[in-house]
Amino acid sequence: MSTPRPDRGLAGAVQRVTASALGPYQSAVIRIGFSATFLLFLLRELPHRHEMYGPDAPWRWDLARQLISGNQAFTTLMWSDSTVWFEIVYALALLSSLLLMLGWHTRAVSVVFMAGVLSLQNRSIFMGDGGDNVIHLMAIYLVLTRCGQVWSLDARRTRGRGSAEYAVQGAGGRRVPGEAAGIVLWVVLGAVLVGASVAGGLGGTVWLPLLLWCLWIGQGAWWAVNRYLPRHELRTLLDVIANLAHNATLVVIMAEVCLIYATAGWYKIQGSRWQDGTALYYPLKLEYFTPWPALSDLLASSGVMVMVLSYATVIVQVAFPFTLFNRRVKNILLGAMICEHAGIALLLGLPFFSMAMIAADAVFLPTAFLAWLGGRVASGRERVFRRRGRVPAPRAAGGGPEAPEPDGDGSHTLVG
Protein backbone atom coordinates (compact mmCIF):
# COMPACT_ATOMS: atom_id res chain seq x y z
CA MET A 1 0.00 0.00 0.00
CA SER A 2 1.40 3.37 -1.02
CA THR A 3 2.17 5.97 1.62
CA PRO A 4 0.34 9.28 1.10
CA ARG A 5 2.60 12.15 0.20
CA PRO A 6 3.20 14.56 3.10
CA ASP A 7 2.36 17.61 0.97
CA ARG A 8 -0.97 16.25 -0.23
CA GLY A 9 -2.89 17.95 2.56
CA LEU A 10 -1.26 21.30 1.90
CA ALA A 11 -1.76 20.97 -1.85
CA GLY A 12 -5.40 20.09 -1.32
CA ALA A 13 -5.92 23.11 0.90
CA VAL A 14 -4.28 25.43 -1.63
CA GLN A 15 -6.38 23.92 -4.41
CA ARG A 16 -9.57 24.45 -2.44
CA VAL A 17 -8.75 28.06 -1.53
CA THR A 18 -7.83 29.05 -5.08
CA ALA A 19 -10.38 27.01 -7.03
CA SER A 20 -13.58 28.26 -5.39
CA ALA A 21 -15.05 31.10 -3.34
CA LEU A 22 -15.79 29.47 -0.01
CA GLY A 23 -18.76 30.26 2.20
CA PRO A 24 -21.22 31.32 -0.53
CA TYR A 25 -24.21 31.17 1.82
CA GLN A 26 -22.41 32.94 4.66
CA SER A 27 -21.24 35.77 2.41
CA ALA A 28 -24.76 36.09 1.00
CA VAL A 29 -26.22 36.40 4.49
CA ILE A 30 -23.65 39.07 5.35
CA ARG A 31 -24.52 40.95 2.15
CA ILE A 32 -28.25 40.79 2.79
CA GLY A 33 -27.96 41.47 6.52
CA PHE A 34 -25.80 44.59 6.38
CA SER A 35 -27.46 46.13 3.34
CA ALA A 36 -30.89 45.55 4.90
CA THR A 37 -29.72 47.04 8.20
CA PHE A 38 -28.41 50.20 6.54
CA LEU A 39 -31.48 50.44 4.30
CA LEU A 40 -33.89 50.26 7.22
CA PHE A 41 -31.79 52.78 9.16
CA LEU A 42 -31.87 55.25 6.28
CA LEU A 43 -35.62 54.78 5.87
CA ARG A 44 -36.27 55.32 9.56
CA GLU A 45 -34.17 58.50 9.60
CA LEU A 46 -35.60 59.79 6.32
CA PRO A 47 -37.63 62.57 8.04
CA HIS A 48 -34.57 63.57 10.11
CA ARG A 49 -31.87 63.18 7.46
CA HIS A 50 -31.16 66.93 7.23
CA GLU A 51 -30.62 67.21 10.98
CA MET A 52 -28.36 64.16 11.11
CA TYR A 53 -26.20 64.40 8.02
CA GLY A 54 -27.48 67.32 5.96
CA PRO A 55 -27.42 71.09 5.93
CA ASP A 56 -29.33 71.42 9.23
CA ALA A 57 -26.98 69.16 11.22
CA PRO A 58 -25.55 70.61 14.46
CA TRP A 59 -22.19 69.35 13.24
CA ARG A 60 -22.05 71.90 10.45
CA TRP A 61 -20.49 71.39 7.03
CA ASP A 62 -17.54 73.68 7.77
CA LEU A 63 -16.83 71.83 11.04
CA ALA A 64 -16.94 68.50 9.23
CA ARG A 65 -14.60 69.86 6.59
CA GLN A 66 -12.09 70.95 9.23
CA LEU A 67 -12.19 67.53 10.87
CA ILE A 68 -11.84 65.66 7.58
CA SER A 69 -8.91 67.82 6.53
CA GLY A 70 -7.17 66.44 9.61
CA ASN A 71 -8.19 62.76 9.62
CA GLN A 72 -8.26 62.44 5.78
CA ALA A 73 -11.54 60.49 5.83
CA PHE A 74 -13.60 59.90 2.69
CA THR A 75 -17.05 61.39 2.21
CA THR A 76 -18.73 62.59 -0.95
CA LEU A 77 -20.78 65.03 1.12
CA MET A 78 -17.69 67.23 1.34
CA TRP A 79 -17.72 67.69 -2.44
CA SER A 80 -20.49 70.27 -2.07
CA ASP A 81 -22.57 71.82 0.71
CA SER A 82 -25.71 72.17 -1.41
CA THR A 83 -28.96 70.56 -0.32
CA VAL A 84 -29.47 69.06 -3.79
CA TRP A 85 -26.14 67.22 -3.63
CA PHE A 86 -26.99 65.89 -0.17
CA GLU A 87 -30.33 64.55 -1.43
CA ILE A 88 -28.57 62.84 -4.36
CA VAL A 89 -26.05 61.15 -2.06
CA TYR A 90 -28.77 60.05 0.37
CA ALA A 91 -30.90 58.68 -2.48
CA LEU A 92 -27.94 56.77 -3.92
CA ALA A 93 -27.20 55.31 -0.50
CA LEU A 94 -30.80 54.11 -0.25
CA LEU A 95 -30.80 52.69 -3.78
CA SER A 96 -27.44 50.94 -3.43
CA SER A 97 -28.56 49.34 -0.16
CA LEU A 98 -31.68 47.98 -1.81
CA LEU A 99 -29.84 46.71 -4.90
CA LEU A 100 -27.09 45.09 -2.85
CA MET A 101 -29.68 43.35 -0.70
CA LEU A 102 -31.31 42.00 -3.88
CA GLY A 103 -27.92 41.09 -5.35
CA TRP A 104 -28.09 43.11 -8.58
CA HIS A 105 -24.60 43.53 -10.06
CA THR A 106 -23.13 43.03 -6.63
CA ARG A 107 -19.54 43.91 -7.54
CA ALA A 108 -20.43 47.44 -8.70
CA VAL A 109 -23.25 48.08 -6.26
CA SER A 110 -21.09 47.02 -3.30
CA VAL A 111 -18.67 49.85 -4.19
CA VAL A 112 -21.53 52.38 -4.32
CA PHE A 113 -22.86 50.97 -1.04
CA MET A 114 -19.45 51.42 0.58
CA ALA A 115 -19.26 54.99 -0.71
CA GLY A 116 -22.72 55.73 0.73
CA VAL A 117 -21.88 54.28 4.14
CA LEU A 118 -18.56 56.12 4.39
CA SER A 119 -20.04 59.37 3.09
CA LEU A 120 -22.84 59.56 5.66
CA GLN A 121 -20.93 58.22 8.64
CA ASN A 122 -17.82 60.34 8.07
CA ARG A 123 -19.99 63.44 7.57
CA SER A 124 -21.33 63.24 11.13
CA ILE A 125 -19.07 60.96 13.14
CA PHE A 126 -20.92 61.58 16.41
CA MET A 127 -24.07 59.85 15.20
CA GLY A 128 -24.53 56.16 15.82
CA ASP A 129 -24.88 53.52 18.50
CA GLY A 130 -21.87 51.23 18.03
CA GLY A 131 -23.37 49.24 15.19
CA ASP A 132 -22.18 51.97 12.82
CA ASN A 133 -18.58 50.87 13.31
CA VAL A 134 -19.44 47.32 12.30
CA ILE A 135 -21.37 48.47 9.22
CA HIS A 136 -18.47 50.79 8.36
CA LEU A 137 -15.98 47.92 8.32
CA MET A 138 -18.22 45.35 6.68
CA ALA A 139 -19.12 47.76 3.86
CA ILE A 140 -15.42 47.86 2.98
CA TYR A 141 -14.98 44.09 3.28
CA LEU A 142 -18.01 43.32 1.10
CA VAL A 143 -16.33 45.01 -1.87
CA LEU A 144 -13.70 42.25 -1.91
CA THR A 145 -16.11 39.31 -1.63
CA ARG A 146 -18.05 37.35 -4.23
CA CYS A 147 -21.20 37.74 -2.19
CA GLY A 148 -23.66 37.24 -5.05
CA GLN A 149 -23.10 33.53 -5.66
CA VAL A 150 -26.44 32.55 -4.11
CA TRP A 151 -29.67 34.30 -3.08
CA SER A 152 -29.19 37.13 -5.57
CA LEU A 153 -30.41 38.42 -8.89
CA ASP A 154 -26.89 37.80 -10.21
CA ALA A 155 -27.18 34.10 -9.41
CA ARG A 156 -30.62 33.99 -11.01
CA ARG A 157 -29.25 35.69 -14.13
CA THR A 158 -26.39 33.18 -14.26
CA ARG A 159 -28.83 30.27 -14.15
CA GLY A 160 -30.94 32.01 -16.78
CA ARG A 161 -28.06 31.93 -19.22
CA GLY A 162 -28.52 28.19 -19.42
CA SER A 163 -25.71 25.77 -20.05
CA ALA A 164 -22.01 26.48 -20.08
CA GLU A 165 -22.00 26.19 -23.87
CA TYR A 166 -24.40 29.11 -24.13
CA ALA A 167 -22.15 31.19 -21.89
CA VAL A 168 -19.18 30.44 -24.14
CA GLN A 169 -21.20 31.38 -27.20
CA GLY A 170 -22.17 34.63 -25.51
CA ALA A 171 -18.52 35.31 -24.80
CA GLY A 172 -17.79 34.85 -28.48
CA GLY A 173 -19.84 37.82 -29.58
CA ARG A 174 -23.47 37.45 -28.54
CA ARG A 175 -25.12 39.55 -25.92
CA VAL A 176 -25.57 37.92 -22.55
CA PRO A 177 -28.18 38.92 -19.95
CA GLY A 178 -27.13 41.90 -17.89
CA GLU A 179 -24.21 42.87 -20.11
CA ALA A 180 -25.61 46.25 -21.24
CA ALA A 181 -26.36 47.32 -17.66
CA GLY A 182 -22.89 46.20 -16.60
CA ILE A 183 -21.22 48.25 -19.33
CA VAL A 184 -23.21 51.35 -18.41
CA LEU A 185 -22.35 50.92 -14.72
CA TRP A 186 -18.67 50.48 -15.50
CA VAL A 187 -18.54 53.59 -17.68
CA VAL A 188 -20.47 55.77 -15.22
CA LEU A 189 -18.43 54.64 -12.21
CA GLY A 190 -15.24 55.16 -14.20
CA ALA A 191 -16.23 58.71 -15.07
CA VAL A 192 -17.04 59.47 -11.42
CA LEU A 193 -13.74 57.92 -10.33
CA VAL A 194 -11.75 59.99 -12.80
CA GLY A 195 -13.51 63.20 -11.78
CA ALA A 196 -13.09 62.51 -8.06
CA SER A 197 -9.41 61.65 -8.51
CA VAL A 198 -8.69 64.83 -10.48
CA ALA A 199 -10.59 67.00 -7.98
CA GLY A 200 -8.98 65.29 -4.99
CA GLY A 201 -12.30 64.09 -3.59
CA LEU A 202 -11.18 60.58 -2.59
CA GLY A 203 -9.70 61.62 0.74
CA GLY A 204 -6.10 61.98 1.75
CA THR A 205 -5.37 58.29 2.29
CA VAL A 206 -3.73 56.12 -0.36
CA TRP A 207 -5.59 52.88 0.20
CA LEU A 208 -9.06 53.97 -0.95
CA PRO A 209 -8.08 55.45 -4.36
CA LEU A 210 -5.81 52.46 -4.96
CA LEU A 211 -8.60 50.02 -4.08
CA LEU A 212 -11.16 51.76 -6.28
CA TRP A 213 -8.84 51.99 -9.28
CA CYS A 214 -7.78 48.35 -8.94
CA LEU A 215 -11.42 47.27 -8.76
CA TRP A 216 -12.41 49.33 -11.77
CA ILE A 217 -9.50 48.24 -13.97
CA GLY A 218 -9.75 44.65 -12.79
CA GLN A 219 -13.46 44.46 -13.59
CA GLY A 220 -12.84 45.79 -17.09
CA ALA A 221 -10.12 43.19 -17.61
CA TRP A 222 -12.46 40.50 -16.21
CA TRP A 223 -15.15 41.36 -18.73
CA ALA A 224 -12.72 41.53 -21.67
CA VAL A 225 -11.16 38.15 -20.88
CA ASN A 226 -14.54 36.49 -20.33
CA ARG A 227 -15.90 37.86 -23.58
CA TYR A 228 -12.96 37.38 -25.94
CA LEU A 229 -10.65 34.84 -24.22
CA PRO A 230 -13.00 32.60 -22.22
CA ARG A 231 -10.68 29.56 -22.39
CA HIS A 232 -7.38 31.41 -21.98
CA GLU A 233 -5.11 31.01 -18.96
CA LEU A 234 -5.84 34.63 -18.05
CA ARG A 235 -9.42 33.58 -17.27
CA THR A 236 -8.16 31.06 -14.74
CA LEU A 237 -5.71 33.54 -13.25
CA LEU A 238 -8.39 36.19 -12.73
CA ASP A 239 -10.68 33.61 -11.17
CA VAL A 240 -7.93 32.51 -8.77
CA ILE A 241 -7.26 36.14 -7.75
CA ALA A 242 -10.97 36.77 -7.13
CA ASN A 243 -11.28 33.56 -5.07
CA LEU A 244 -8.20 34.40 -3.00
CA ALA A 245 -9.50 37.91 -2.28
CA HIS A 246 -12.92 36.53 -1.32
CA ASN A 247 -11.57 33.79 0.95
CA ALA A 248 -9.02 36.06 2.61
CA THR A 249 -11.73 38.65 3.28
CA LEU A 250 -13.96 36.02 4.89
CA VAL A 251 -11.10 35.12 7.23
CA VAL A 252 -10.69 38.82 8.10
CA ILE A 253 -14.43 39.11 8.80
CA MET A 254 -14.27 36.10 11.11
CA ALA A 255 -11.25 37.53 12.91
CA GLU A 256 -13.01 40.90 13.20
CA VAL A 257 -16.06 39.33 14.85
CA CYS A 258 -13.88 37.37 17.28
CA LEU A 259 -11.94 40.54 18.10
CA ILE A 260 -15.15 42.47 18.79
CA TYR A 261 -16.44 39.86 21.23
CA ALA A 262 -13.06 39.22 22.86
CA THR A 263 -12.35 42.90 23.54
CA ALA A 264 -15.93 43.54 24.71
CA GLY A 265 -15.81 40.57 27.06
CA TRP A 266 -12.39 41.30 28.55
CA TYR A 267 -13.21 44.96 29.09
CA LYS A 268 -16.42 43.96 30.86
CA ILE A 269 -14.44 41.68 33.19
CA GLN A 270 -12.47 44.70 34.40
CA GLY A 271 -15.63 46.64 35.30
CA SER A 272 -16.86 46.46 38.90
CA ARG A 273 -20.54 46.45 37.84
CA TRP A 274 -19.97 43.40 35.68
CA GLN A 275 -17.98 41.72 38.44
CA ASP A 276 -20.80 42.06 40.97
CA GLY A 277 -23.46 41.15 38.37
CA THR A 278 -25.42 44.42 38.43
CA ALA A 279 -24.33 45.98 35.11
CA LEU A 280 -27.56 45.17 33.29
CA TYR A 281 -29.67 46.91 35.95
CA TYR A 282 -28.52 50.44 35.11
CA PRO A 283 -29.42 50.66 31.38
CA LEU A 284 -32.80 49.15 32.24
CA LYS A 285 -33.44 52.23 34.39
CA LEU A 286 -32.40 54.79 31.78
CA GLU A 287 -35.31 56.34 29.92
CA TYR A 288 -33.34 56.48 26.67
CA PHE A 289 -32.85 52.67 26.71
CA THR A 290 -36.35 51.66 27.82
CA PRO A 291 -38.74 51.51 24.86
CA TRP A 292 -40.91 49.16 26.94
CA PRO A 293 -40.77 50.57 30.50
CA ALA A 294 -43.04 47.91 32.00
CA LEU A 295 -40.93 45.08 30.58
CA SER A 296 -37.68 46.74 31.67
CA ASP A 297 -39.02 47.30 35.21
CA LEU A 298 -40.14 43.69 35.40
CA LEU A 299 -36.70 42.40 34.46
CA ALA A 300 -34.86 44.91 36.66
CA SER A 301 -36.97 43.90 39.67
CA SER A 302 -35.46 40.41 39.62
CA GLY A 303 -31.94 40.52 41.05
CA VAL A 304 -31.31 36.91 40.10
CA MET A 305 -32.18 37.47 36.44
CA VAL A 306 -30.05 40.60 36.28
CA MET A 307 -27.07 38.75 37.75
CA VAL A 308 -27.51 35.69 35.51
CA LEU A 309 -27.82 37.76 32.33
CA SER A 310 -24.87 39.98 33.28
CA TYR A 311 -22.57 37.04 33.96
CA ALA A 312 -23.86 35.10 30.95
CA THR A 313 -23.08 38.04 28.66
CA VAL A 314 -19.48 38.18 29.82
CA ILE A 315 -19.00 34.40 29.68
CA VAL A 316 -20.40 34.09 26.16
CA GLN A 317 -18.37 36.97 24.76
CA VAL A 318 -15.08 35.85 26.31
CA ALA A 319 -15.56 32.17 25.46
CA PHE A 320 -16.81 32.45 21.90
CA PRO A 321 -13.45 32.84 20.09
CA PHE A 322 -12.17 29.70 21.85
CA THR A 323 -15.19 27.62 20.83
CA LEU A 324 -14.39 27.84 17.11
CA PHE A 325 -12.39 24.64 17.49
CA ASN A 326 -15.51 22.73 18.56
CA ARG A 327 -18.37 22.99 16.09
CA ARG A 328 -21.11 21.87 18.46
CA VAL A 329 -20.18 24.23 21.29
CA LYS A 330 -19.65 27.04 18.79
CA ASN A 331 -23.16 26.63 17.40
CA ILE A 332 -24.66 26.68 20.89
CA LEU A 333 -22.86 29.89 21.84
CA LEU A 334 -23.70 31.38 18.45
CA GLY A 335 -27.38 30.81 19.12
CA ALA A 336 -26.95 32.35 22.58
CA MET A 337 -25.32 35.48 21.12
CA ILE A 338 -28.04 35.89 18.51
CA CYS A 339 -30.66 35.64 21.25
CA GLU A 340 -28.67 38.15 23.30
CA HIS A 341 -28.70 40.68 20.45
CA ALA A 342 -32.40 40.09 19.88
CA GLY A 343 -32.93 40.88 23.56
CA ILE A 344 -30.85 44.06 23.24
CA ALA A 345 -32.99 45.16 20.31
CA LEU A 346 -36.18 44.55 22.30
CA LEU A 347 -35.22 45.71 25.78
CA LEU A 348 -32.75 48.53 25.06
CA GLY A 349 -34.24 49.84 21.82
CA LEU A 350 -31.11 49.30 19.67
CA PRO A 351 -32.50 47.39 16.67
CA PHE A 352 -29.89 48.42 14.11
CA PHE A 353 -26.97 47.65 16.40
CA SER A 354 -28.47 44.21 17.00
CA MET A 355 -29.16 43.62 13.31
CA ALA A 356 -25.57 44.53 12.45
CA MET A 357 -24.14 42.15 15.04
CA ILE A 358 -26.47 39.31 14.06
CA ALA A 359 -25.44 39.78 10.43
CA ALA A 360 -21.79 39.65 11.50
CA ASP A 361 -22.44 36.51 13.56
CA ALA A 362 -23.93 34.87 10.46
CA VAL A 363 -20.45 34.27 9.04
CA PHE A 364 -20.16 31.39 11.53
CA LEU A 365 -23.54 29.80 10.78
CA PRO A 366 -23.30 26.21 9.43
CA THR A 367 -23.69 25.84 5.68
CA ALA A 368 -26.16 22.99 6.10
CA PHE A 369 -28.43 25.19 8.20
CA LEU A 370 -28.28 28.07 5.73
CA ALA A 371 -28.96 25.75 2.79
CA TRP A 372 -31.93 24.28 4.68
CA LEU A 373 -33.19 27.78 5.48
CA GLY A 374 -32.87 28.79 1.83
CA GLY A 375 -34.84 25.72 0.82
CA ARG A 376 -37.63 26.57 3.24
CA VAL A 377 -37.79 30.16 1.98
CA ALA A 378 -37.87 28.96 -1.63
CA SER A 379 -40.66 26.49 -0.81
CA GLY A 380 -42.68 29.21 0.88
CA ARG A 381 -42.20 31.49 -2.10
CA GLU A 382 -43.42 28.79 -4.45
CA ARG A 383 -46.52 28.22 -2.35
CA VAL A 384 -47.31 31.94 -2.37
CA PHE A 385 -46.87 32.16 -6.14
CA ARG A 386 -48.95 29.01 -6.65
CA ARG A 387 -51.83 30.49 -4.67
CA ARG A 388 -51.68 33.61 -6.80
CA GLY A 389 -51.65 31.58 -9.98
CA ARG A 390 -48.09 32.57 -10.93
CA VAL A 391 -45.34 30.22 -12.00
CA PRO A 392 -42.15 30.80 -9.98
CA ALA A 393 -38.67 30.79 -11.46
CA PRO A 394 -37.14 27.32 -11.78
CA ARG A 395 -35.14 26.15 -8.81
CA ALA A 396 -31.78 24.47 -8.86
CA ALA A 397 -31.49 20.95 -10.19
CA GLY A 398 -32.80 18.31 -7.84
CA GLY A 399 -35.43 20.56 -6.30
CA GLY A 400 -33.13 21.70 -3.50
CA PRO A 401 -32.10 25.20 -2.53
CA GLU A 402 -30.15 27.41 -4.84
CA ALA A 403 -26.76 25.93 -5.57
CA PRO A 404 -23.69 28.13 -5.81
CA GLU A 405 -22.71 28.91 -9.37
CA PRO A 406 -19.06 29.11 -10.48
CA ASP A 407 -19.70 32.65 -11.73
CA GLY A 408 -22.74 33.44 -9.64
CA ASP A 409 -21.62 37.01 -9.12
CA GLY A 410 -22.19 37.83 -12.76
CA SER A 411 -18.67 37.23 -14.07
CA HIS A 412 -19.74 37.29 -17.72
CA THR A 413 -21.14 40.78 -17.35
CA LEU A 414 -18.89 43.78 -17.14
CA VAL A 415 -19.79 44.62 -13.55
CA GLY A 416 -21.29 41.72 -11.64
Side-chain angles (χ1 to χ4, degrees):
M1 184 172 66
S2 62
T3 303
R5 295 178 58 184
D7 60 340
R8 182 171 297 177
L10 178 60
V14 172
Q15 170 69 17
R16 186 182 181 193
V17 170
T18 57
S20 61
L22 304 177
Y25 292 100
Q26 288 81 357
S27 58
V29 172
I30 293 174
R31 184 198 84 234
I32 296 171
F34 280 100
S35 57
T37 300
F38 197 60
L39 174 64
L40 293 176
F41 173 77
L42 294 180
L43 289 175
R44 189 191 74 170
E45 303 300 340
L46 190 62
H48 317 291
R49 63 190 184 280
H50 288 189
E51 290 77 13
M52 294 184 65
Y53 306 109
D56 300 330
W59 188 249
R60 302 192 310 273
W61 189 85
D62 56 333
L63 294 176
R65 190 173 184 82
Q66 292 179 28
L67 179 64
I68 288 172
S69 65
N71 61 20
Q72 304 298 319
F74 167 81
T75 170
T76 59
L77 290 177
M78 290 296 100
W79 294 359
S80 173
D81 61 349
S82 70
T83 303
V84 174
W85 176 244
F86 167 76
E87 297 291 359
I88 292 174
V89 173
Y90 201 92
L92 286 176
L94 276 168
L95 181 62
S96 63
S97 300
L98 175 62
L99 294 179
L100 185 62
M101 183 179 65
L102 298 177
W104 184 81
H105 290 280
T106 52
R107 185 71 70 185
V109 172
S110 64
V111 176
V112 182
F113 175 75
M114 177 189 71
V117 171
L118 298 183
S119 295
L120 292 174
Q121 291 187 354
N122 290 337
R123 165 63 177 86
S124 299
I125 61 173
F126 301 107
M127 297 292 178
D129 52 18
D132 288 13
N133 295 329
V134 182
I135 297 176
H136 190 107
L137 292 171
M138 294 301 172
I140 299 173
Y141 297 152
L142 277 173
V143 172
L144 300 175
T145 63
R146 305 181 74 174
C147 54
Q149 297 179 93
V150 297
W151 300 343
S152 67
L153 296 179
D154 286 345
R156 181 177 181 180
R157 186 173 65 248
T158 300
R159 292 195 306 272
R161 284 200 294 261
S163 63
E165 288 79 12
Y166 175 80
V168 172
Q169 290 174 3
R174 296 184 182 180
R175 293 285 183 183
V176 296
E179 186 178 42
I183 293 174
V184 172
L185 276 173
W186 188 77
V187 172
V188 171
L189 292 178
V192 173
L193 185 57
V194 170
S197 299
V198 172
L202 295 180
T205 58
V206 177
W207 71 267
L208 183 60
L210 181 62
L211 172 64
L212 295 176
W213 276 110
C214 287
L215 287 170
W216 187 75
I217 295 172
Q219 200 62 38
W222 181 279
W223 173 83
V225 170
N226 273 286
R227 184 167 180 83
Y228 300 109
L229 300 171
R231 298 185 182 277
H232 197 271
E233 292 179 355
L234 281 175
R235 171 66 175 82
T236 304
L237 176 61
L238 291 176
D239 207 32
V240 167
I241 294 174
N243 291 334
L244 284 174
H246 169 92
N247 296 330
T249 304
L250 276 188
V251 173
V252 172
I253 291 175
M254 293 178 182
E256 190 77 46
V257 175
C258 291
L259 183 63
I260 290 173
Y261 283 119
T263 52
W266 285 106
Y267 271 112
K268 284 183 175 67
I269 287 178
Q270 302 174 48
S272 59
R273 301 306 180 192
W274 291 99
Q275 291 174 6
D276 59 26
T278 61
L280 183 61
Y281 174 84
Y282 298 97
L284 291 176
K285 289 299 182 178
L286 294 176
E287 183 179 356
Y288 183 79
F289 293 109
T290 53
W292 311 99
L295 184 60
S296 298
D297 291 340
L298 179 63
L299 181 59
S301 64
S302 174
V304 175
M305 284 299 299
V306 169
M307 183 185 66
V308 169
L309 291 176
S310 298
Y311 284 153
T313 299
V314 176
I315 293 172
V316 168
Q317 290 182 352
V318 172
F320 178 73
F322 301 100
T323 64
L324 299 182
F325 303 101
N326 188 302
R327 182 179 302 177
R328 185 169 300 176
V329 177
K330 182 262 295 183
N331 291 337
I332 293 175
L333 284 190
L334 190 60
M337 289 193 301
I338 292 176
C339 292
E340 173 191 336
H341 289 304
I344 291 174
L346 178 65
L347 291 173
L348 302 183
L350 299 173
F352 301 110
F353 167 78
S354 298
M355 288 180 64
M357 291 308 304
I358 291 174
D361 294 341
V363 72
F364 295 106
L365 288 175
T367 300
F369 169 76
L370 293 176
W372 172 85
L373 182 63
R376 301 287 74 77
V377 172
S379 299
R381 181 187 61 187
E382 289 182 358
R383 285 196 294 268
V384 170
F385 286 156
R386 192 178 298 115
R387 290 174 182 174
R388 295 181 179 180
R390 296 175 58 185
V391 179
R395 300 172 65 187
E402 294 182 7
E405 297 287 343
D407 300 311
D409 55 353
S411 62
H412 284 284
T413 63
L414 184 57
V415 184

